[in-house]
Amino acid sequence: MDEQGRGKRPGGRSARVRAAVHQAVTDLVGERGYGNFTVGEVAARAGVADTSVYRRWGTLEALLGDVLLTRLNAQAPMPDTGSLAGDLRAYAAVVAREVTGPDGLALVRLTVALSGAGRQGLDARDTLLADRTRQLQAMLDRARERGEHPPDVLEVLDHLLAPIYMRVLFGAVPLTPAYLDGLVGRLLA
Amino acid sequence: MDEQGRGKRPGGRSARVRAAVHQAVTDLVGERGYGNFTVGEVAARAGVADTSVYRRWGTLEALLGDVLLTRLNAQAPMPDTGSLAGDLRAYAAVVAREVTGPDGLALVRLTVALSGAGRQGLDARDTLLADRTRQLQAMLDRARERGEHPPDVLEVLDHLLAPIYMRVLFGAVPLTPAYLDGLVGRLLA
């Protein structure tokens, strides 16, 4: 969905449609929650034809995944501090800020919604997570190239991301810096 | 909501109402998902008056929490095997079976739904989780009384429950016995 990647002029009609559709999705999620609006309603609010949405994203589920991934990549980019411990601490802090922020838990909410939305939902979920996993893997690969001994991606998911998400979901906050450092220390032990 | 605890005759009208309302909620969740039905619809399907539901449960959110807690307690009771490692392994197996079963992730789905349902939703979530946490704490207390050194409840949440839930949510299954044993081993290390 990258404009340059498709060889189109940034700022052109295609970019305007994308921005309007993303904004419409963000607004509708805020007003109604996931699963409570259609492609037709997104298109109407964005001022574009339904077919423009279908042609570009294929399904509502794929569109939802694209919107969230774009936001995550902008707000919670993968860190590159020069050390594994530094990267993991920075990553934990970014995730903690993201999930406790104004639309915190958006990733968990969307993942739950997509998990219950049939094959297209599961495909959209897997695309979304594969993209973020690839970025995390690149961070761990950089550590290995520096001669460090990183955990694997699933260990980071299990013992860093999962506890942070679950504590927010279960209301067991705040996520203090000491708590986050403890998770990283345990992961690297 | 325990009938005996309220000094009422089990099997009486009160128990029949409760069973009918619970069944109506289970059916509506299956058909429409959380958040997409009202107390009035639950009451109509159960064949009882709206006021019977409000008088007994107070809010839709509290009712949803009661239904799920009843099901969890029946299907995923806390184990008592005589050893901490045995209890944690049995608990991990029960949770893994629960979340990968036919209405897997019900706890996560309901928790997500309640987290977005204002103060009453958060109260219902906290009641639900407090009850399960109390049962888990009792299991850990028994280990301490036997002279073992159990982790605290939040560590079990962070490093046993959270990874299991997150892997199912993110589609990173299967949860093999070796994987679950690894989580327990890591927790007890």
Side-chain angles (χ1 to χ4, degrees), chain A residues 107-158:
Chain A
L107 180 64
V108 173
R109 279 180 202 286
L110 177 59
T111 304
V112 167
L114 293 178
S115 300
R119 190 66 254 160
Q120 294 183 326
L122 293 175
D123 287 348
R125 176 197 70 181
D126 292 346
T127 301
L128 170 66
L129 297 173
D131 212 277
R132 289 293 282 179
T133 302
R134 204 155 35 233
Q135 295 174 29
L136 183 56
Q137 184 65 60
M139 187 177 95
L140 299 174
D141 288 346
R142 286 196 300 273
R144 184 167 290 109
E145 283 155 20
R146 285 190 302 262
E148 299 189 273
H149 299 89
D152 68 33
V153 164
L154 282 174
E155 286 178 290
V156 177
L157 173 68
D158 280 348

Side-chain angles (χ1 to χ4, degrees), chain A residues 36 109 111-112 115-116 125 129 154-155 157-159 162-163 165-171 179 183 186-187, chain B residues 36 109 111-112 115-116 125 129 154-155 157-159 162-163 165-171 179 183 186-187:
Chain A
N36 300 317
R109 279 180 202 286
T111 304
V112 167
S115 300
R125 176 197 70 181
L129 297 173
L154 282 174
E155 286 178 290
L157 173 68
D158 280 348
H159 298 288
Y165 287 156
M166 208 49 59
R167 285 212 174 194
V168 173
L169 200 56
F170 284 8
Y179 168 69
L183 291 178
R186 198 168 172 135
L187 189 59
Chain B
N36 300 318
R109 278 181 202 286
T111 305
V112 167
S115 299
R125 177 196 70 180
L129 298 173
L154 282 173
E155 287 178 289
L157 173 67
D158 280 349
H159 298 288
Y165 288 156
M166 208 50 59
R167 285 213 173 193
V168 173
L169 198 57
F170 284 8
Y179 169 70
L183 290 178
R186 195 168 174 137
L187 189 59

Side-chain angles (χ1 to χ4, degrees), chain B residues 19-30:
Chain B
V21 169
H22 273 224
Q23 189 59 52
V25 168
T26 301
D27 292 347
L28 285 165
V29 167

